[in-house]
Every structure is written in C-alpha cells, then in structure tokens.
Amino acid sequence: MVNPVQDSAFQVAKEGTPKPRPMIRGFPPDVPIRVINAEKHIAGRLASYVAKRLLMGEYIVIVNAEKAVITGDPHRIVRWYMKKIVEWCTHYNPEKAGPKIPRRPDRILKRIVRGMLPRKTWRGRMAFRRLKVFIGVPEELKHLPFEVIPDAMLRDETKPHITLEELSRLVGGWPPKYVRKKLTTRYVKLPITGSEGNPEG
C-alpha cells in the first residue's frame, strides 16, 4: 500500500500528531484510511484519483463534498443535470421509473466515483465499498490529517464553475431533510420542490 506522505499525487493539508482513528461503519478497525478534503477540487479529476486508489485497495473518506466544483457554464450544467432527472420520470410511475439520480452533494460525488469503477465486476464492487463521502466534516474525523490532490484543484477561480452545493440546491436536493428539520426560524424555499413553508418571524 502506498504511503500517502510519499505519494506525490497527494499532499497533507493539515499536519498533526496522528491519533487513533474512529470507528467507521463498514471499514475494518485496523486499516489505515485517507481523509481527503474535497474543497475547491474539480469533481471529475478528484473522482479519477480516488477511483484509482480504491482499486489499489485503499480505504478513502471524502469530506466537504458540497464544496467540490464542476467546471463549465453553471446554467448549462444545471440544464443537463435536470434533463437526466426529468427524462426518467413517467406519468404512470414517476417515483420508481428508471434509475435514481442523486441530488445531494455527497451522493452526486459518490456517483461520479462509481462511474469510474468497473462496478459490474467483483473487484469494482469491493472497491466501491471502500469509499465514504460526507457533507461537511463529521465530528469524529476533525482530528485526523486531511489530504488534498494538487492536480485536481481548481487553479483559476475566475473560470465559470458551480459547486455541488449550488447544483444540489438548484435541482431540489439541498438542504437534506435532516438539515431542513433543524431550521426553526425560517425554512428554505427550493426552486424545484417548492416552498417548505414560511413561518412568521
């Protein structure tokens, strides 16, 4: 297994004394893991590196998935993604027709990685099980050193791009339900699903 410190494709972003890592559901307790900070990473390039490492047998956790970006015209990206969602809906069975297109940022990024794995083979399925993607940074992972992939970073922020959080918001998947329940003063009006209510005050 490749040492992340010696691997030139990865760069440790937060140094510190390594501590015993927390238990992660689905991961063996004694295996080393990579924690990659997806902030300002191009989603496709990040997914290609992650897919390669997964096939090599590594266990990878991606945090801040909502801050990954997709380069290109934001309006074109949203129209293309909405077309994928709408074209599978039918009048007779709009909920179960066709594949389910993810709308949450973490699931969007995970689906991109899945598309770069041979998921119909045993090797690809086992590699996909070694991946966890989170929105934000879970409390139990904050003390672990984060890594970044310099080759996958967005170098020119003036070029048109859209974050996965913005894409998810525009296609009706943000905020997630468990976040929406915590909003007590004002609910978020989603463009696709409509208003969730607007209490006074």
Side-chain angles (χ1 to χ4, degrees):
M1 185 172 296
V2 182
N3 188 347
V5 178
Q6 299 176 354
D7 187 2
S8 60
F10 289 84
Q11 177 180 344
V12 178
K14 184 177 68 174
E15 299 180 354
T17 304
K19 300 179 181 179
R21 72 168 182 82
M23 293 293 296
I24 300 178
R25 184 177 181 182
F27 284 6
D30 55 344
V31 296
I33 62 172
R34 293 180 184 268
V35 182
I36 300 177
N37 184 8
E39 184 176 0
K40 295 183 180 180
H41 281 66
I42 299 176
R45 296 181 185 178
L46 173 63
S48 65
Y49 278 96
V50 171
K52 178 182 177 181
R53 295 298 173 182
L54 291 173
L55 291 173
M56 294 174 62
E58 299 182 9
Y59 289 79
I60 297 179
V61 177
I62 300 178
V63 297
N64 291 324
E66 76 281 4
K67 297 180 181 179
V69 303
I70 300 177
T71 56
D73 182 18
H75 298 287
R76 181 183 61 83
I77 295 172
V78 173
R79 286 197 303 268
W80 172 80
Y81 204 83
M82 280 303 303
K83 181 181 178 182
K84 291 180 62 177
I85 296 174
V86 174
E87 69 183 1
W88 289 107
C89 295
T90 64
H91 175 72
Y92 300 99
N93 200 350
E95 293 296 330
K96 296 183 180 179
K100 299 299 182 182
I101 307 299
R103 302 191 187 192
R104 277 175 38 182
D106 54 340
R107 295 181 179 178
I108 293 175
L109 184 56
K110 195 170 185 179
R111 179 67 66 91
I112 296 175
V113 177
R114 194 190 76 169
M116 299 185 181
L117 293 172
R119 62 185 182 87
K120 294 186 178 181
T121 65
W122 180 87
R123 180 168 174 254
R125 291 194 300 268
M126 294 299 104
F128 191 61
R129 292 183 181 181
R130 293 191 287 269
L131 173 66
K132 300 291 182 183
V133 184
F134 294 100
I135 296 175
V137 183
E139 191 68 29
E140 61 271 14
L141 297 178
K142 289 184 177 180
H143 70 278
L144 297 180
F146 295 165
E147 301 176 12
V148 297
I149 304 177
D151 292 341
M153 294 287 290
L154 180 65
R155 299 177 182 178
D156 188 2
E157 297 187 9
T158 61
K159 291 184 177 180
H161 63 275
I162 184 172
T163 64
L164 293 187
E165 178 181 356
E166 295 171 349
L167 175 63
S168 178
R169 190 186 305 275
L170 292 173
V171 299
W174 185 270
K177 293 181 179 179
Y178 66 87
V179 176
R180 197 179 308 163
K181 291 180 180 178
K182 296 180 181 180
L183 302 178
T184 56
T185 58
R186 187 176 300 274
Y187 287 85
V188 177
K189 184 177 181 181
L190 301 177
I192 303 301
T193 59
S195 176
E196 297 292 340
N198 188 11
E200 296 181 359

